[in-house]
Amino acid sequence: MPIRPKALRVSPVIQIRRMLREDISHGMRLKEQAGWNQVEPDWQRLFDLQPDGCFLAVFDGKPVGTVTTCRFGPVAWIAMMLVDETYRGQGLGRALMTRALEDLDHHEVRSVRLDATPLGRPLYESLGFVPETTFVRFAGTLPPAVGITGLPRWNSPGRENELIALDRQVTGTDRGRLISRLFAEHADSLRVVADDRGAEGFLMTRPGSNARQIGPCIANERAGRLLLADAGQRYAGEPVVIDIPSGHDPAIAMAEALGLKPSRHLLRMGRGPRIVEDLSRLWASAGPEKG
């Protein structure tokens, strides 16, 4: 009787390659699985801002993970680190992050930043990231409007550079490409508080799959209060989320006054020289995938 050869056990192969636009559907599947709030235009924006900085993990021929990067000169942001839950524990997250960091090193990026979930924090710490700031996500459905007149729409598009400069002062990063793109996509959401000396603050929002994301909101205290109160009126009755630095007591008080409750925490982490932010004027982050 012939001896039947034993079946060979072939180890699965991990491949990390650059994402293509048609791979966005894989990213959407993974973010839905994770329950995240991004919509397809968020993925399109990430791809358009840095098409050479988005990566896909393929495990045994199946797309199972993503990571994106966006370079702002010497500073970069990492986002959308997602691994299919069925394939976790296989080294895919580390392979994706290693590829992203190698690419950023190649482009001489000095400071790399991200907003970490508790699940991702151990991996990021093992790669040299250190905690910087905690953000609290407040969520809920805004109460009905009470008839207070809101702020007028911003009708001075020629002053866009003024708002970008304000954002740079507060975040310590030249995010002009990102801010300009958000202005173009969500101009109807933009509200600005200004005096004779210039803009005191601005706020934007965007739709999400689960709730409207309020932010970025960059402002001094007077403007921040006005902008968040205005957002509460404009989006009355809608589910919203807003990510606020944990030590920003005025912003937290405004969120609580709007009936929002803490739902999760995000840890902002950095690798390389720390970027100094003016957290007193950062009333709301643009979201974990934007910083």
Side-chain angles (χ1 to χ4, degrees):
M1 181 176 180
I3 299 175
R4 301 181 65 180
K6 293 182 179 180
L8 294 176
R9 184 180 179 85
V10 180
S11 298
V13 176
I14 299 174
Q15 176 193 6
I16 308 295
R17 64 166 175 82
R18 294 193 192 277
M19 284 187 72
L20 305 174
R21 192 172 295 277
E22 51 265 36
D23 293 322
I24 288 175
S25 61
H26 302 307
M28 284 294 291
R29 178 183 68 83
L30 293 172
K31 81 91 195 175
E32 290 288 344
Q33 184 187 79
W36 290 6
N37 194 42
Q38 290 81 9
V39 292
E40 186 164 334
D42 292 313
W43 275 99
Q44 297 285 357
R45 184 187 317 108
L46 289 165
F47 188 86
D48 291 343
L49 287 171
Q50 205 69 70
D52 64 341
C54 302
F55 301 95
L56 184 77
V58 181
F59 188 81
D60 246 6
K62 181 177 180 178
V64 292
T66 61
V67 68
T68 66
T69 70
C70 191
R71 302 189 297 272
F72 304 112
V75 182
W77 198 264
I78 289 182
M80 305 311 288
M81 240 301 304
L82 289 160
V83 173
D84 190 314
E85 59 189 17
T86 305
Y87 296 88
R88 290 174 188 165
Q90 310 284 340
L92 289 161
R94 182 171 297 276
L96 280 162
M97 283 295 297
T98 299
R99 180 68 180 87
L101 291 171
E102 287 174 349
D103 185 70
L104 295 176
D105 287 343
H106 173 73
H107 287 93
E108 300 182 344
V109 169
R110 295 171 55 236
S111 300
V112 185
R113 312 187 75 202
L114 53 80
D115 282 351
T117 64
L119 180 65
R121 178 177 178 175
L123 170 61
Y124 304 140
E125 287 182 329
S126 74
L127 293 170
F129 286 83
V130 297
E132 293 182 349
T133 307
T134 301
F135 281 74
V136 183
R137 169 161 290 187
F138 283 82
T141 299
L142 291 169
V146 294
I148 299 174
T149 302
L151 295 171
R153 281 188 56 190
W154 179 244
N155 57 2
S156 302
R159 296 172 64 185
E160 179 179 304
N161 288 338
E162 182 181 343
L163 303 186
I164 291 173
L166 177 60
D167 181 83
R168 184 168 58 247
Q169 289 175 14
V170 172
T171 65
T173 303
D174 185 359
R175 306 193 301 173
R177 291 190 302 133
L178 170 63
I179 300 300
S180 292
R181 177 68 180 255
L182 292 174
F183 287 165
E185 290 181 33
H186 303 296
D188 288 348
S189 80
L190 176 62
R191 295 294 185 274
V192 177
V193 173
D195 60 18
D196 294 339
R197 294 171 295 179
E200 295 183 65
F202 71 91
L203 177 146
M204 298 190 71
T205 74
R206 64 168 180 82
S209 60
N210 305 315
R212 177 173 292 275
Q213 179 94 38
I214 296 178
C217 181
I218 306 292
N220 62 22
E221 184 161 348
R222 183 183 87 91
R225 292 182 185 279
L226 290 171
L227 290 163
L228 288 186
D230 171 76
Q233 293 291 306
R234 283 192 287 147
Y235 304 114
E238 285 192 38
V240 301
V241 295
I242 179 170
D243 298 327
I244 300 173
S246 59
H248 199 310
D249 293 338
I252 289 173
M254 287 292 298
E256 291 174 340
L258 291 171
L260 306 180
K261 304 292 184 183
S263 65
R264 64 185 295 192
H265 290 76
L266 295 164
L267 181 64
R268 183 156 294 182
M269 306 184 76
R271 185 177 188 257
R274 181 163 182 165
I275 302 302
V276 178
E277 297 175 291
D278 182 357
L279 295 177
S280 70
R281 291 191 288 168
L282 179 55
W283 286 67
S285 163
E289 78 284 4
K290 300 186 215 40

